Amino acid sequence: MQPYEELKKAYTIQVTENQAFVQENFNIASKLVSNLIAFLDLPSTPKTPDTPPILQFLRPKLEGGFAPVAQLEEAVLSFPEGKFQFGLGLLLETDGEVQSKQVATFTYNCDRTGDQITVFVLGKAFDLPFTSSDTLEVGEISEFVFKELLEGLNWRISDEIEKTRVGFDVTPVDEDIA
């Protein structure tokens, strides 16, 4: 085999394996999101067509912050060292007389090494055995996210030290943003 042909063959293998790795990252993200949706018992459709989605997908920006995207696949940002991350925004609304909306934002940072995956979310690391996204048990993570969101919502402006690691803002979200 000619040296250039050998380089092309190695490149083809690299591209194929990298694409498979990125697809598996998406499958893991899908499992995390599906489990969270089921755990929180989120409605599958908005109340009205003009109501923003309850669960929003956020692509982390390299310079900080998030960019809202339409699909989860667009939100997953993969890195060459085997890590990937994505953000979620959960639309919260009040019931009753006081009408207010706010989005709770948080990020999943995942690190795959060999037969293990570490999921970092809201300041806690979860080390899970990993053979495929089908066998990944993520229920504990969804329960933790719920508890952290609830704790964040128990924080009040008058508290001396903010208790939450969730991206809450004390100012309600504009209708245009949500």
Side-chain angles (χ1 to χ4, degrees), residues 76-149:
V76 178
L77 185 62
S78 294
F79 299 99
E81 62 274 5
K83 298 179 181 185
F84 67 98
Q85 67 180 166
F86 64 97
L88 294 178
L90 183 64
L91 180 65
L92 301 169
E93 300 178 79
T94 57
D95 289 326
E97 246 177 69
V98 178
Q99 296 298 312
S100 181
K101 294 181 184 180
Q102 182 178 50
V103 177
T105 60
F106 49 99
T107 306
Y108 288 86
N109 293 294
C110 305
D111 187 2
R112 291 174 54 193
T113 50
D115 59 355
Q116 182 163 321
I117 183 169
T118 303
V119 178
F120 299 92
V121 62
L122 298 171
K124 185 171 180 179
F126 295 87
D127 292 319
L128 305 169
F130 179 75
T131 53
S132 77
S133 59
D134 295 332
T135 61
L136 196 59
E137 294 296 327
V138 298
E140 179 184 6
I141 298 171
S142 295
E143 184 176 350
F144 173 76
V145 168
F146 164 72
K147 287 178 180 176
E148 285 295 301
L149 290 170

Side-chain angles (χ1 to χ4, degrees), residues 14-177:
Q14 179 193 49
V15 167
T16 303
E17 289 177 358
N18 286 349
Q19 288 174 341
F21 191 85
V22 168
Q23 181 60 47
E24 188 68 25
N25 290 347
F26 172 68
N27 294 345
I28 294 166
S30 294
K31 180 134 190 179
L32 288 163
V33 169
S34 296
N35 190 274
L36 183 64
I37 289 169
F39 185 87
L40 296 177
D41 196 24
L42 297 179
S44 57
T45 56
K47 292 178 190 174
T48 64
D50 59 334
T51 302
I54 292 173
L55 190 67
Q56 302 168 12
F57 304 116
L58 306 171
R59 182 175 177 88
K61 295 183 200 175
L62 295 176
E63 62 277 2
F66 295 102
V69 292
Q71 303 293 323
L72 176 60
E73 194 165 31
E74 299 170 78
V76 178
L77 185 62
S78 294
F79 299 99
E81 62 274 5
K83 298 179 181 185
F84 67 98
Q85 67 180 166
F86 64 97
L88 294 178
L90 183 64
L91 180 65
L92 301 169
E93 300 178 79
T94 57
D95 289 326
E97 246 177 69
V98 178
Q99 296 298 312
S100 181
K101 294 181 184 180
Q102 182 178 50
V103 177
T105 60
F106 49 99
T107 306
Y108 288 86
N109 293 294
C110 305
D111 187 2
R112 291 174 54 193
T113 50
D115 59 355
Q116 182 163 321
I117 183 169
T118 303
V119 178
F120 299 92
V121 62
L122 298 171
K124 185 171 180 179
F126 295 87
D127 292 319
L128 305 169
F130 179 75
T131 53
S132 77
S133 59
D134 295 332
T135 61
L136 196 59
E137 294 296 327
V138 298
E140 179 184 6
I141 298 171
S142 295
E143 184 176 350
F144 173 76
V145 168
F146 164 72
K147 287 178 180 176
E148 285 295 301
L149 290 170
L150 195 56
E151 182 178 328
L153 290 168
N154 287 324
W155 174 75
R156 300 295 178 258
I157 294 173
S158 62
D159 289 347
E160 287 184 30
I161 299 174
E162 187 173 340
K163 299 178 192 174
T164 183
R165 290 178 288 275
V166 182
F168 289 118
D169 186 355
V170 295
T171 309
V173 127
D174 291 335
E175 288 292 324
D176 297 337
I177 295 172

